[in-house]
Amino acid sequence: MRRMIISGNWKMYKTLEETITFFEEFSAWEKDFSHKNQLLIFPPNLYTITALEMTRENDIDIGVQNIYFKDFGAYTGEISSPMLTSIGCKYALVGHSERRHIFHETDEEINLKILALIENRKHIVFCIGEKESQRDEGLTEQVLDTQLAIGLQDVHEKDMQHVVIAYEPVWAIGTGKTATPEIAQDAHAFIRKWLSTHFNSSVANKTRILYGGSVKAANCKELLEKQDIDGALIGGASLKIKDYIEIIKISEEVAQKKDQ
Ligand code: PEP
């Protein structure tokens, strides 16, 4: 069975003080978890070291929200995969829709980032998803196909153990418009089939595919119960410790049922 991941993308929110408070409160709650699911937070990159140090004794992973694909050099403002190694950070988010649409990141650049992270033995959460107009035009599968084909170009079958895919329909991110569990399951099934065709059935069965887009405590159960949904990438609702804890607890009950 694939271990679910309940991950949080904090985007450009929280002060250092708020980050410290979150992880102090998380630590106090952790004894209540079954640890069935993997937990992963992407704080603003500036707080990565603090988050890593604060969670050393906790069962939660920390990742960065973005990296550059070069290892070192004159790239002002950027951070690289070897820098992650130097601070003991093992995870990175790549291709988030805000990176794609606000910062005009292309599929080709996303691919270079994924290859750099693999080369540096990091774990990647690779985000894909269609815009509302693309869904309305019936182009969802075509968009996902292109994002997967270019994003995973030259990634070898053995390296797919480092890759988690996050399906995040752009129209559902930060809008409060969640995909129905059926819409999300259809997209996840398409992605799993794609992995089977382009790699093999073992990669398809083992790769975890997360859903992201206005996930909250009130809607996560029905989404996580779906066969091909292996967790969530949560923006807004991961910022408040109580909401995040509630989602973790619901996800543990769902994982328990999925195991039976
Ligand atoms: C995200 O940032 O990846 C996300 C899905 O945000 P939200 O949960 O707020 O829609």
Side-chain angles (χ1 to χ4, degrees):
M1 197 60 220
R2 296 177 293 269
R3 191 180 180 210
M4 283 211 267
I5 305 178
I6 303 301
S7 58
N9 169 23
W10 287 359
K11 314 187 190 214
M12 201 176 72
Y13 291 111
K14 284 196 191 292
T15 60
L16 179 60
E17 208 179 353
E18 288 164 348
T19 300
I20 292 170
T21 304
F22 181 98
F23 287 114
E24 279 171 354
E25 290 182 7
F26 175 85
S27 199
W29 277 99
E30 201 187 16
K31 59 178 180 342
D32 295 347
F33 302 153
S34 70
H35 301 267
K36 255 193 134 7
N37 297 333
Q38 183 182 355
L39 307 179
L40 171 61
I41 292 282
F42 298 98
N45 288 359
L46 192 59
Y47 309 142
T48 311
I49 295 180
T50 305
L52 283 167
E53 283 173 359
M54 285 199 70
T55 56
R56 208 170 277 152
E57 305 296 322
N58 301 118
D59 191 10
I60 186 166
D61 294 305
I62 302 295
V64 292
Q65 295 179 8
N66 179 38
I67 58 121
Y68 193 50
F69 51 81
K70 297 278 189 182
D71 281 356
F72 297 100
Y75 304 105
T76 302
E78 297 294 324
I79 59 164
S80 72
S81 304
M83 289 177 185
L84 299 191
T85 305
S86 76
I87 62 164
C89 179
K90 298 187 188 133
Y91 291 84
L93 194 62
V94 175
H96 190 276
S97 89
E98 286 147 20
R99 300 290 325 164
R100 290 175 186 267
H101 302 120
I102 302 172
F103 300 100
H104 311 292
E105 232 172 63
T106 63
D107 287 323
E108 287 75 10
E109 283 164 341
I110 289 163
N111 174 243
L112 292 174
K113 291 181 181 199
I114 290 174
L115 294 175
L117 285 160
I118 287 173
E119 182 71 27
N120 287 278
R121 311 184 69 74
K122 301 291 167 253
H123 297 278
I124 300 145
V125 177
F126 167 36
C127 305
I128 57 174
E130 80 289 357
K131 294 186 202 164
E132 191 157 34
S133 56
Q134 293 167 326
R135 171 161 288 271
D136 291 346
E137 286 171 52
L139 297 173
T140 299
E141 293 189 354
Q142 197 176 309
V143 170
L144 298 181
D145 176 58
T146 304
Q147 291 175 339
L148 286 164
I150 303 177
L152 295 177
Q153 196 167 337
D154 297 329
V155 173
H156 298 294
E157 182 191 315
K158 67 172 175 29
D159 297 322
M160 281 304 289
Q161 59 184 306
H162 298 286
V163 179
V164 169
I165 294 171
Y167 168 64
E168 299 207 301
V170 179
W171 46 272
I173 300 179
T175 58
K177 261 199 231 174
T178 324
T180 63
E182 291 68 32
I183 286 179
Q185 166 59 28
D186 282 353
H188 283 231
F190 171 80
I191 295 164
R192 209 174 293 292
K193 192 157 159 258
W194 190 97
L195 292 171
S196 180
T197 310
H198 293 79
F199 291 99
N200 55 43
S201 59
S202 166
V203 167
N205 287 332
K206 287 182 188 155
T207 302
R208 290 173 293 176
I209 308 174
L210 315 183
Y211 169 78
S214 300
V215 172
K216 47 187 189 251
N219 61 24
C220 68
K221 182 172 178 284
E222 289 70 24
L223 287 158
L224 295 174
E225 277 172 348
K226 289 291 177 191
Q227 188 189 344
D228 289 298
I229 300 186
D230 307 314
L233 178 56
I234 309 155
S238 72
L239 290 165
K240 292 195 193 125
I241 189 71
K242 286 218 167 106
D243 293 350
Y244 187 51
I245 301 284
E246 210 180 330
I247 296 172
I248 294 169
K249 288 190 173 166
I250 294 168
S251 77
E252 289 183 338
E253 286 166 21
V254 174
Q256 184 74 32
K257 274 200 208 134
K258 273 185 164 177
D259 275 357
Q260 284 162 7

